[in-house]
Amino acid sequence: MSLQEALERRAGRVAALREACAPIFGRSKSVTLEIGCGKGHYLSSYAARFPEETCVGIDLISKRVEDGRRRAKNRNAGNAFFVKAEAMEFLEAMPAGARLEKIFIFFPDPWPKEKHHKRRLIRGEFLDYIRQFCSVGCKMYFRTDHAEYFEWAKAEIAKNSSWELSEETELPHEEVSQFQRILPVFSTLVAVAS
Ligand SMILES: C[S@@+](CC[C@H](N)C(=O)[O-])C[C@H]1O[C@@H](n2cnc3c(N)ncnc32)[C@H](O)[C@@H]1O
């Protein structure tokens, strides 16, 4: 596939996402977003506890997104929406004026080899890009079992002028995600959009 074709396909995906997500942002322009939500264990539980918030979980894998929808339905969390989307494409598809109030990123792929660090979700380019969609004070909650990725992410946030590391390490809600169940030793950090 040529670069031109790849860019056209990406633009097509973003346009389709924009259309698919219009009803979500029609409900509220301020959303709580979980990136890499897996099977929706956390977000469906969070949304059931905070019914006043509009919660969106995104993941690359269709089956996981379907599981998230099923979990939200079982919990009567009509304020939880699960969408198959890549993170940067989802952000690009957000309508003008839409804002992220909270961001959850739990147990993202650590890409342990140094040559793959550029694939890590939490990195300077991502922090700068997502900040454009955040209200001041938006909190990003990051949890991983991977000690080296944790320290790396902390350093990336510390050197980024758009985000501040908080002393806080608590989540607003606890629910064991699929990966947390198998990786019970982990660290959590909170970054605040400044
Ligand atoms: C290791 S799993 C963790 C799932 C869940 N957060 C948990 O704690 O059980 C990472 C998830 O992130 C998704 N993912 C990876 N990169 C992504 C991206 N750029 N945008 C959206 N989802 C992504 C993967 O498909 C996978 O389901």
Side-chain angles (χ1 to χ4, degrees), residues 34-38 58-61 64 85-87 106-107 109 121 177-179:
E34 183 176 358
I35 299 176
C37 61
I58 60 169
D59 203 284
L60 296 173
I61 300 177
R64 295 186 181 168
E86 191 284 321
F106 301 141
F107 302 92
D109 306 318
L121 193 56
S177 70
Q178 185 191 14
F179 277 72

mmCIF file of all heavy atoms in Angstrom, residues 34-38 58-61 64 85-87 106-107 109 121 177-179, ligand 1:
data_model
loop_
_atom_site.group_PDB
_atom_site.id
_atom_site.type_symbol
_atom_site.label_atom_id
_atom_site.label_comp_id
_atom_site.label_asym_id
_atom_site.label_seq_id
_atom_site.Cartn_x
_atom_site.Cartn_y
_atom_site.Cartn_z
ATOM 1 N N GLU A 34 -11.437 5.994 28.426
ATOM 2 C CA GLU A 34 -10.451 4.947 28.730
ATOM 3 C C GLU A 34 -9.837 4.476 27.413
ATOM 4 O O GLU A 34 -10.541 4.005 26.517
ATOM 5 C CB GLU A 34 -11.060 3.756 29.478
ATOM 6 C CG GLU A 34 -9.938 2.765 29.812
ATOM 7 C CD GLU A 34 -10.336 1.557 30.645
ATOM 8 O OE1 GLU A 34 -11.516 1.442 31.038
ATOM 9 O OE2 GLU A 34 -9.440 0.717 30.888
ATOM 10 N N ILE A 35 -8.530 4.603 27.327
ATOM 11 C CA ILE A 35 -7.799 4.181 26.117
ATOM 12 C C ILE A 35 -7.273 2.765 26.347
ATOM 13 O O ILE A 35 -6.623 2.499 27.353
ATOM 14 C CB ILE A 35 -6.634 5.147 25.824
ATOM 15 C CG1 ILE A 35 -7.171 6.565 25.572
ATOM 16 C CG2 ILE A 35 -5.817 4.657 24.625
ATOM 17 C CD1 ILE A 35 -6.090 7.617 25.378
ATOM 18 N N GLY A 36 -7.567 1.877 25.410
ATOM 19 C CA GLY A 36 -7.152 0.477 25.567
ATOM 20 C C GLY A 36 -7.971 -0.167 26.671
ATOM 21 O O GLY A 36 -7.441 -0.757 27.607
ATOM 22 N N CYS A 37 -9.289 -0.050 26.532
ATOM 23 C CA CYS A 37 -10.213 -0.449 27.619
ATOM 24 C C CYS A 37 -10.354 -1.960 27.746
ATOM 25 O O CYS A 37 -10.981 -2.443 28.694
ATOM 26 C CB CYS A 37 -11.591 0.174 27.392
ATOM 27 S SG CYS A 37 -12.338 -0.378 25.839
ATOM 28 N N GLY A 38 -9.762 -2.720 26.790
ATOM 29 C CA GLY A 38 -9.906 -4.170 26.863
ATOM 30 C C GLY A 38 -11.371 -4.558 26.861
ATOM 31 O O GLY A 38 -12.166 -4.027 26.068
ATOM 32 N N ILE A 58 -12.255 2.955 24.409
ATOM 33 C CA ILE A 58 -11.838 2.608 23.039
ATOM 34 C C ILE A 58 -10.805 1.493 23.085
ATOM 35 O O ILE A 58 -9.995 1.402 24.015
ATOM 36 C CB ILE A 58 -11.286 3.831 22.256
ATOM 37 C CG1 ILE A 58 -10.055 4.435 22.950
ATOM 38 C CG2 ILE A 58 -12.358 4.882 22.052
ATOM 39 C CD1 ILE A 58 -9.331 5.469 22.085
ATOM 40 N N ASP A 59 -10.850 0.654 22.074
ATOM 41 C CA ASP A 59 -9.863 -0.423 21.940
ATOM 42 C C ASP A 59 -9.751 -0.780 20.464
ATOM 43 O O ASP A 59 -10.680 -0.551 19.691
ATOM 44 C CB ASP A 59 -10.261 -1.649 22.766
ATOM 45 C CG ASP A 59 -9.055 -2.517 23.093
ATOM 46 O OD1 ASP A 59 -8.572 -3.249 22.194
ATOM 47 O OD2 ASP A 59 -8.546 -2.436 24.235
ATOM 48 N N LEU A 60 -8.601 -1.361 20.131
ATOM 49 C CA LEU A 60 -8.356 -1.729 18.731
ATOM 50 C C LEU A 60 -9.083 -3.011 18.341
ATOM 51 O O LEU A 60 -9.272 -3.273 17.164
ATOM 52 C CB LEU A 60 -6.852 -1.976 18.527
ATOM 53 C CG LEU A 60 -5.904 -0.805 18.725
ATOM 54 C CD1 LEU A 60 -4.455 -1.280 18.660
ATOM 55 C CD2 LEU A 60 -6.163 0.246 17.662
ATOM 56 N N ILE A 61 -9.477 -3.800 19.339
ATOM 57 C CA ILE A 61 -9.983 -5.155 19.047
ATOM 58 C C ILE A 61 -11.505 -5.224 19.191
ATOM 59 O O ILE A 61 -12.051 -4.976 20.275
ATOM 60 C CB ILE A 61 -9.274 -6.179 19.964
ATOM 61 C CG1 ILE A 61 -7.767 -6.109 19.681
ATOM 62 C CG2 ILE A 61 -9.806 -7.596 19.751
ATOM 63 C CD1 ILE A 61 -6.906 -6.989 20.545
ATOM 64 N N ARG A 64 -13.219 -7.220 22.038
ATOM 65 C CA ARG A 64 -13.124 -6.604 23.371
ATOM 66 C C ARG A 64 -14.157 -5.480 23.513
ATOM 67 O O ARG A 64 -14.771 -5.315 24.566
ATOM 68 C CB ARG A 64 -11.706 -6.082 23.619
ATOM 69 C CG ARG A 64 -10.714 -7.221 23.654
ATOM 70 C CD ARG A 64 -9.313 -6.810 24.031
ATOM 71 N NE ARG A 64 -8.484 -8.011 23.987
ATOM 72 C CZ ARG A 64 -7.168 -8.033 24.033
ATOM 73 N NH1 ARG A 64 -6.497 -6.904 24.154
ATOM 74 N NH2 ARG A 64 -6.499 -9.151 23.991
ATOM 75 N N ALA A 85 -11.584 1.830 18.122
ATOM 76 C CA ALA A 85 -10.838 2.975 17.598
ATOM 77 C C ALA A 85 -9.407 2.960 18.104
ATOM 78 O O ALA A 85 -9.136 2.512 19.221
ATOM 79 C CB ALA A 85 -11.501 4.289 18.040
ATOM 80 N N GLU A 86 -8.534 3.488 17.279
ATOM 81 C CA GLU A 86 -7.153 3.732 17.689
ATOM 82 C C GLU A 86 -7.144 5.107 18.371
ATOM 83 O O GLU A 86 -7.858 6.028 17.954
ATOM 84 C CB GLU A 86 -6.260 3.701 16.438
ATOM 85 C CG GLU A 86 -4.767 3.671 16.707
ATOM 86 C CD GLU A 86 -4.193 5.006 17.124
ATOM 87 O OE1 GLU A 86 -4.614 6.037 16.567
ATOM 88 O OE2 GLU A 86 -3.324 5.023 18.014
ATOM 89 N N ALA A 87 -6.305 5.255 19.404
ATOM 90 C CA ALA A 87 -6.369 6.453 20.247
ATOM 91 C C ALA A 87 -6.219 7.772 19.470
ATOM 92 O O ALA A 87 -7.048 8.681 19.613
ATOM 93 C CB ALA A 87 -5.297 6.367 21.340
ATOM 94 N N PHE A 106 -4.770 1.854 31.460
ATOM 95 C CA PHE A 106 -4.363 0.794 32.394
ATOM 96 C C PHE A 106 -3.698 -0.360 31.651
ATOM 97 O O PHE A 106 -4.250 -0.894 30.685
ATOM 98 C CB PHE A 106 -5.582 0.248 33.145
ATOM 99 C CG PHE A 106 -6.328 1.303 33.929
ATOM 100 C CD1 PHE A 106 -7.712 1.290 33.979
ATOM 101 C CD2 PHE A 106 -5.655 2.303 34.614
ATOM 102 C CE1 PHE A 106 -8.415 2.250 34.705
ATOM 103 C CE2 PHE A 106 -6.344 3.273 35.338
ATOM 104 C CZ PHE A 106 -7.723 3.246 35.379
ATOM 105 N N PHE A 107 -2.541 -0.715 32.132
ATOM 106 C CA PHE A 107 -1.791 -1.862 31.609
ATOM 107 C C PHE A 107 -1.637 -1.810 30.082
ATOM 108 O O PHE A 107 -1.914 -2.798 29.388
ATOM 109 C CB PHE A 107 -2.450 -3.193 32.059
ATOM 110 C CG PHE A 107 -2.534 -3.301 33.550
ATOM 111 C CD1 PHE A 107 -3.672 -2.872 34.236
ATOM 112 C CD2 PHE A 107 -1.458 -3.780 34.290
ATOM 113 C CE1 PHE A 107 -3.737 -2.927 35.621
ATOM 114 C CE2 PHE A 107 -1.516 -3.847 35.681
ATOM 115 C CZ PHE A 107 -2.657 -3.414 36.344
ATOM 116 N N ASP A 109 0.320 -1.904 26.514
ATOM 117 C CA ASP A 109 1.450 -2.737 26.083
ATOM 118 C C ASP A 109 2.751 -2.009 26.423
ATOM 119 O O ASP A 109 2.928 -0.853 26.027
ATOM 120 C CB ASP A 109 1.354 -2.993 24.567
ATOM 121 C CG ASP A 109 -0.012 -3.582 24.197
ATOM 122 O OD1 ASP A 109 -0.486 -4.456 24.943
ATOM 123 O OD2 ASP A 109 -0.608 -3.144 23.198
ATOM 124 N N LEU A 121 2.446 4.125 24.304
ATOM 125 C CA LEU A 121 1.381 5.128 24.244
ATOM 126 C C LEU A 121 1.804 6.424 24.938
ATOM 127 O O LEU A 121 1.697 7.520 24.390
ATOM 128 C CB LEU A 121 0.121 4.544 24.885
ATOM 129 C CG LEU A 121 -1.175 5.285 24.678
ATOM 130 C CD1 LEU A 121 -1.486 5.484 23.202
ATOM 131 C CD2 LEU A 121 -2.319 4.533 25.348
ATOM 132 N N SER A 177 -9.304 -4.828 36.484
ATOM 133 C CA SER A 177 -9.448 -5.045 35.033
ATOM 134 C C SER A 177 -8.954 -6.451 34.700
ATOM 135 O O SER A 177 -8.372 -7.140 35.542
ATOM 136 C CB SER A 177 -8.638 -4.000 34.267
ATOM 137 O OG SER A 177 -7.250 -4.252 34.429
ATOM 138 N N GLN A 178 -9.141 -6.832 33.457
ATOM 139 C CA GLN A 178 -8.712 -8.174 33.045
ATOM 140 C C GLN A 178 -7.211 -8.365 33.279
ATOM 141 O O GLN A 178 -6.772 -9.370 33.827
ATOM 142 C CB GLN A 178 -9.026 -8.382 31.556
ATOM 143 C CG GLN A 178 -8.716 -9.788 31.100
ATOM 144 C CD GLN A 178 -8.776 -9.938 29.595
ATOM 145 O OE1 GLN A 178 -8.796 -8.959 28.863
ATOM 146 N NE2 GLN A 178 -8.805 -11.170 29.137
ATOM 147 N N PHE A 179 -6.411 -7.365 32.926
ATOM 148 C CA PHE A 179 -4.965 -7.508 33.082
ATOM 149 C C PHE A 179 -4.530 -7.330 34.530
ATOM 150 O O PHE A 179 -3.567 -7.937 34.970
ATOM 151 C CB PHE A 179 -4.223 -6.565 32.126
ATOM 152 C CG PHE A 179 -4.095 -7.166 30.753
ATOM 153 C CD1 PHE A 179 -5.201 -7.277 29.933
ATOM 154 C CD2 PHE A 179 -2.893 -7.674 30.303
ATOM 155 C CE1 PHE A 179 -5.119 -7.862 28.670
ATOM 156 C CE2 PHE A 179 -2.782 -8.270 29.046
ATOM 157 C CZ PHE A 179 -3.896 -8.369 28.231
HETATM 158 C C1 LIG B 1 -2.635 -5.133 27.731
HETATM 159 S S1 LIG B 1 -4.266 -4.702 27.234
HETATM 160 C C2 LIG B 1 -4.973 -3.962 28.703
HETATM 161 C C3 LIG B 1 -6.472 -3.927 28.653
HETATM 162 C C4 LIG B 1 -7.168 -3.298 29.868
HETATM 163 N N1 LIG B 1 -6.775 -1.906 30.026
HETATM 164 C C5 LIG B 1 -6.908 -4.069 31.134
HETATM 165 O O1 LIG B 1 -6.303 -3.490 32.069
HETATM 166 O O2 LIG B 1 -7.322 -5.234 31.207
HETATM 167 C C6 LIG B 1 -3.967 -3.283 26.217
HETATM 168 C C7 LIG B 1 -5.147 -2.948 25.335
HETATM 169 O O3 LIG B 1 -4.886 -1.724 24.655
HETATM 170 C C8 LIG B 1 -5.368 -1.827 23.333
HETATM 171 N N2 LIG B 1 -4.598 -0.839 22.549
HETATM 172 C C9 LIG B 1 -3.270 -0.867 22.257
HETATM 173 N N3 LIG B 1 -2.897 0.215 21.566
HETATM 174 C C10 LIG B 1 -4.030 0.973 21.410
HETATM 175 C C11 LIG B 1 -4.306 2.215 20.757
HETATM 176 N N4 LIG B 1 -3.332 2.894 20.141
HETATM 177 N N5 LIG B 1 -5.564 2.688 20.772
HETATM 178 C C12 LIG B 1 -6.559 1.995 21.389
HETATM 179 N N6 LIG B 1 -6.358 0.808 22.028
HETATM 180 C C13 LIG B 1 -5.117 0.307 22.040
HETATM 181 C C14 LIG B 1 -5.128 -3.274 22.958
HETATM 182 O O4 LIG B 1 -5.960 -3.707 21.906
HETATM 183 C C15 LIG B 1 -5.440 -3.994 24.272
HETATM 184 O O5 LIG B 1 -6.786 -4.405 24.372
#
